[in-house]
Amino acid sequence: MNNMKKTRSGFPRRLTLSVLLFALALPPLQTQAQTRTQADPVVLNFVNADIPSVIKAVGELTGKNFIIDPRVKGTVIITSARPVPRDQVYPILLSALRMQGFSAIEGRGVVKIVPEAEAKQNYSVTRGKQVSESGDRIITQVYPLQHESAAQLMPVLRPLIGPNNAIAVLPSSNTLVITDYADNVRRLNAVIEAVDQPSANDTALIRLNHVSAVDVAQSLGRLMSEGAAAAGQPGGARLMIVPDVRSNSLLVRSDNPSRIQTLRGLVAGLDVAGAAGGNIHVVYLRNAEAAKLAETLRGILTGEAPIGPVTASMTGTTPAASQTASVSPVSGAAGGSMILADTATNSLVISAPDVTYNALRAVIDKLDARRAQVFVEALVVEITAEKAAEFGIQWQDLRGIEKSGTNFIGGTNLGGRNTGSNILDAAVNLGTLGQGLNIGIVSGTIDIPGLGVVTNLGALARALESDANANILSTPNLLTMDNEEAKIVIGQNVPFITGQYAQTGSTTTPSPFQTIERRDVGLTLRVRPQVSEGGSVKLQIYQEISSLRPTTTAADIITDMRSIDSTVLVDDGRIIVIGGLIQDTMQDGVDRVPLLGDIPLVGHLFRSEKRKRMKTNLMVFLRPHVLRDTSSSDVLTGERYDFIRQKQAEFRMQPHFALPDMQMEPLPELMNPPLPQLLNQPPQPAQNTPLTAP
């Protein structure tokens, strides 16, 4: 205390924090002593102090404004044996908050105190490779790598970052995005700088003068990888050979300089000049069709569009074993070349000089790429609601028809004949009445000229109300290759009578005949997809839904058809609606006797009413899925296969005491192991099975 300077009021200039907190609790009086202590060091003495109170005290010391999240609670212990400068009070507070699981987010004029788990989602200072901040401040760094792969480096850095902070990779720009405390970011930068260093022997360029870089890359890549695997070398997979078709060079990368030197010697032995007249090369295709690709290559050499393949038979074979191939000799500016397509092995036989062959080989490598497949899901939803009502009264008096002299007969005859609602049809045959409530008054029979003996039906009352609903859901699926049309038809093949003729001639027995045309009735889906590089799919679609209407005669067949013919553009995996129908039909019909049918109440005895309302909602949806590799196809096939197995397992016949049990065997599990696993399996030992004489 002897070395401390005194103020005019007699208090020491170095205040303890307990005295400072007491002064903060008093009304804000700007005294001369307080003004002089703003630049002096302070002694921190917080023992089990409430965190919001400590933040408030630090705000008074540093002049910072704080916003405290309601979830920030708890106590801290901060002690200092010696006075610390005031500019160190705020970093000490950040370290104490970090130990309690809280972080400070610095903004413009304010500091937000939030839980550490939410700090990465708020605004923070963003820096590049150079970081000037330090301490326990949350910052974000964007670090572009120059030599190493960011994706491979992220698993190494992830354990060094707190669980509540984040690290992400941008593969396109080979960049790391890190959100963490400033001191930890500095440590990560030191690790990254030590790892991201160029290697003098990791990449080499080998130029070729005579042979094709694509052919050499395939041969050497297979040779080096298989040789390293056979020798059990763990670094065998680190050799990478990439052909550059533009410069006819090989780009080689390896972490072992000796392997690059070995590769240079092999390439020098292979890169020799061929015969002056040209060489014969056989190129086996993986995806493209040899006949079509041969036409394209001939068009490149001749500068003309391909007209069609010329078929030539291979000599020296029998007619049964002969093979056909497309042959077209090309000469001129190319120096004389020939391209042959062998369809049996799907390969190309090329006879051309080295320069011409190298150019063609580059084109073949690009055109012989794996084509994408498109799985199209279609969803057709049709909801139909139909309501109908009918009420009518008809009457007639025919008793005077059998009396002599002049007599009176008459009545109402409403509704068309042969419709099931006419009173005359009911008198001839009561079985012709339609469905619904039918009430009549019958008085024996009566003979009507022209109709014969019929029932003497004096009155007929009909009432009917029907309600029919239908919900039809169809989900046709199609899998096809890019730019290839696919079609699926699910329905019936119905015969339609297109003509008939009966020839009598001079014979007494006619010889009639009919001409019949069969048509598909049901659901038809025809799709041609075209996949673009951006991931969108262009679909040429034709969808037709047809059905047969119920009819009483085979010759009177009526079909209802709904079809869509369109071209749409949709992104991969997105659902799009391609068309639909929303229809609401109302019908109201009245058959009545003039004047009498308009009389209130009594008029119902002289009229027949029908009402009908039909609502139809039809929508067609599509969703394409682009399958670019085998794994995507396996996942899709597995999902559909498991769905069918589940549906089959749900179907079970109930046991019956008299009928035998006829349960169907369930489908086996889908076993589709990768091809390399099958090839790498060791040969099975032969079993000692006895041989039996035939």
Side-chain angles (χ1 to χ4, degrees):
M1 296 293 295
N2 295 332
N3 296 330
M4 296 185 182
K5 296 181 179 180
K6 301 286 187 175
T7 61
R8 295 181 180 180
S9 59
F11 290 96
R13 182 169 295 180
R14 296 177 179 175
L15 299 176
T16 62
L17 196 56
S18 59
V19 177
L20 178 61
L21 291 176
F22 177 76
L24 292 175
L26 297 176
L29 301 176
Q30 192 69 18
T31 61
Q32 183 178 4
Q34 291 174 335
T35 304
R36 293 181 179 180
T37 58
Q38 294 297 325
D40 293 341
V42 296
V43 176
L44 303 179
N45 186 17
F46 293 99
V47 179
N48 294 329
D50 187 51
I51 293 179
S53 301
V54 175
I55 295 175
K56 180 179 179 181
V58 173
E60 294 291 343
L61 289 173
T62 60
K64 294 181 178 293
N65 301 320
F66 291 91
I67 298 178
I68 305 175
D69 191 280
R71 292 169 292 181
V72 178
K73 298 178 181 179
T75 59
V76 295
I77 299 177
I78 303 176
T79 60
S80 60
R82 298 179 180 180
V84 297
R86 292 177 180 264
D87 56 357
Q88 294 295 324
V89 175
Y90 178 65
I92 293 175
L93 174 65
L94 297 183
S95 300
L97 292 177
R98 179 180 178 182
M99 297 180 63
Q100 298 296 325
F102 306 113
S103 300
I105 306 301
E106 299 181 1
R108 295 183 179 179
V110 67
V111 180
K112 295 188 296 183
I113 308 299
V114 298
E116 188 182 37
E118 298 184 2
K120 60 186 177 183
Q121 301 175 358
N122 291 268
Y123 169 80
S124 59
V125 178
T126 304
R127 295 287 185 259
K129 283 189 175 182
Q130 303 299 328
V131 177
S132 58
E133 286 76 13
S134 61
D136 293 324
R137 302 180 181 181
I138 292 291
I139 65 171
T140 299
Q141 184 186 34
V142 180
Y143 199 111
L145 301 180
Q146 296 181 355
H147 307 285
E148 292 295 328
S149 172
Q152 296 180 359
L153 191 59
M154 188 183 71
V156 179
L157 301 178
R158 177 70 255 188
L160 304 179
I161 299 176
N164 293 326
N165 296 323
I167 180 172
V169 173
L170 279 73
S172 58
S173 59
N174 197 33
T175 303
L176 291 172
V177 180
I178 306 172
T179 300
D180 202 355
Y181 295 98
D183 285 345
N184 198 33
V185 171
R186 287 175 173 270
R187 182 182 65 153
L188 296 177
N189 290 349
V191 175
I192 296 174
E193 291 176 0
V195 174
D196 189 27
Q197 297 294 331
S199 177
N201 299 321
D202 61 348
T203 305
L205 176 65
I206 304 177
R207 296 186 179 275
L208 303 177
N209 299 321
H210 305 285
V211 296
S212 171
V214 178
D215 293 340
V216 174
Q218 293 179 353
S219 303
L220 293 180
R222 185 165 56 251
L223 175 65
M224 301 297 285
S225 60
E226 292 179 356
Q233 299 177 5
R238 286 190 171 272
L239 178 64
M240 182 180 298
I241 304 175
V242 179
D244 181 30
V245 296
R246 185 184 61 84
S247 60
N248 196 33
S249 305
L250 294 178
L251 299 176
V252 184
R253 183 176 182 180
S254 177
D255 56 352
N256 191 350
S258 62
R259 301 198 69 188
I260 297 181
Q261 295 299 327
T262 303
L263 193 64
R264 287 183 180 274
L266 294 176
V267 172
L270 295 176
D271 189 21
V272 295
N279 298 324
I280 299 178
H281 306 271
V282 179
V283 181
Y284 293 96
L285 302 179
R286 298 183 301 270
N287 303 287
E289 296 183 15
K292 295 182 179 180
L293 187 56
E295 297 179 13
T296 304
L297 297 178
R298 295 190 202 105
I300 294 175
L301 293 179
T302 60
E304 299 178 357
I307 300 176
V310 180
T311 303
S313 300
M314 299 180 64
T315 60
T317 58
T318 61
S322 62
Q323 301 178 358
T324 58
S326 300
V327 184
S328 177
V330 180
S331 60
S337 303
M338 185 177 67
I339 302 174
L340 182 81
D342 185 15
T343 57
T345 59
N346 195 36
S347 58
L348 296 175
V349 180
I350 302 176
S351 176
D354 292 336
V355 177
T356 305
Y357 172 73
N358 293 338
L360 293 177
R361 193 64 179 86
V363 176
I364 294 173
D365 186 64
K366 292 183 178 297
L367 296 181
D368 189 27
R370 180 188 177 95
R371 296 172 61 184
Q373 298 185 97
V374 181
F375 179 75
V376 181
E377 292 180 293
L379 178 64
V380 183
V381 184
E382 183 176 0
I383 302 175
T384 304
E386 181 178 352
K387 295 183 179 181
E390 179 182 351
F391 181 79
I393 298 176
Q394 304 175 57
W395 57 270
Q396 63 183 354
D397 185 7
L398 304 177
R399 291 175 297 177
I401 200 170
E402 294 181 344
K403 298 179 181 180
S404 61
T406 302
N407 299 294
F408 174 79
I409 63 172
T412 58
N413 178 16
L414 304 178
R417 298 294 302 273
N418 300 324
T419 58
S421 62
N422 190 275
I423 190 173
L424 295 180
D425 295 334
V428 176
N429 185 4
L430 293 177
T432 60
L433 287 174
Q435 59 183 356
L437 177 63
N438 299 281
I439 301 176
I441 300 175
V442 180
S443 177
T445 59
I446 189 171
D447 188 4
I448 300 178
L451 295 179
V453 179
V454 299
T455 304
N456 188 8
L457 183 60
L460 175 64
R462 281 180 45 79
L464 174 65
E465 183 175 353
S466 62
D467 190 355
N469 298 319
N471 186 359
I472 302 175
L473 177 65
S474 303
T475 57
N477 300 329
L478 272 179
L479 178 64
T480 181
M481 294 186 64
D482 184 20
N483 270 332
E484 296 291 341
E485 181 178 309
K487 178 181 179 181
I488 182 173
V489 178
I490 303 173
Q492 299 174 325
N493 192 260
V494 181
F496 289 84
I497 300 176
T498 58
Q500 55 185 356
Y501 179 72
Q503 181 182 2
T504 58
S506 59
T507 61
T508 58
T509 303
S511 56
F513 67 90
Q514 294 178 338
T515 58
I516 296 176
E517 179 184 357
R518 291 187 172 272
R519 301 176 186 174
D520 294 330
V521 177
L523 189 144
T524 302
L525 176 63
R526 188 167 62 245
V527 179
R528 180 188 292 272
Q530 182 179 357
V531 182
S532 64
E533 291 296 332
S536 59
V537 183
K538 180 182 178 182
L539 297 174
Q540 297 180 5
I541 309 158
Y542 176 78
Q543 188 161 20
E544 178 183 313
I545 305 172
S546 57
S547 60
L548 294 176
R549 281 193 179 183
T551 180
T552 57
T553 60
D556 187 17
I557 298 179
I558 301 176
T559 59
D560 295 331
M561 186 181 68
R562 300 174 179 88
S563 63
I564 296 176
D565 191 354
S566 177
T567 302
V568 297
L569 185 67
V570 59
D571 292 337
D572 180 18
R574 308 293 295 182
I575 301 176
I576 188 173
V577 57
I578 63 173
L581 169 67
I582 300 178
Q583 184 178 12
D584 194 350
T585 304
M586 298 183 64
Q587 297 178 0
D588 188 6
V590 179
D591 294 335
R592 61 175 175 266
V593 177
L595 300 178
L596 297 178
D598 297 330
I599 300 175
L601 298 180
V602 181
H604 289 288
L605 301 175
F606 300 94
R607 67 172 179 240
S608 177
E609 300 180 71
K610 295 181 180 179
R611 292 182 180 179
K612 184 177 181 181
R613 181 175 183 178
M614 181 181 297
K615 298 182 67 175
T616 302
N617 295 323
L618 173 65
M619 287 294 170
V620 180
F621 301 87
L622 282 181
R623 177 169 61 181
H625 297 274
V626 180
L627 310 178
R628 300 185 182 274
D629 50 16
T630 307
S631 60
S632 301
S633 303
D634 291 343
V635 171
L636 178 64
T637 304
E639 291 178 355
R640 296 303 187 268
Y641 192 83
D642 293 341
F643 174 77
I644 291 298
R645 291 185 72 243
Q646 180 181 359
K647 290 301 180 182
Q648 187 188 37
E650 294 175 357
F651 178 77
R652 286 291 183 269
M653 291 185 180
Q654 297 297 329
H656 196 274
F657 71 95
L659 299 178
D661 189 10
M662 298 182 180
Q663 298 294 344
M664 183 180 296
E665 292 293 333
L667 293 174
E669 293 186 3
L670 183 62
M671 302 298 294
N672 192 12
L675 186 59
Q677 295 183 7
L678 296 178
L679 297 179
N680 295 332
Q681 290 182 356
Q684 299 295 332
Q687 299 180 357
N688 297 325
T689 56
L691 297 178
T692 58

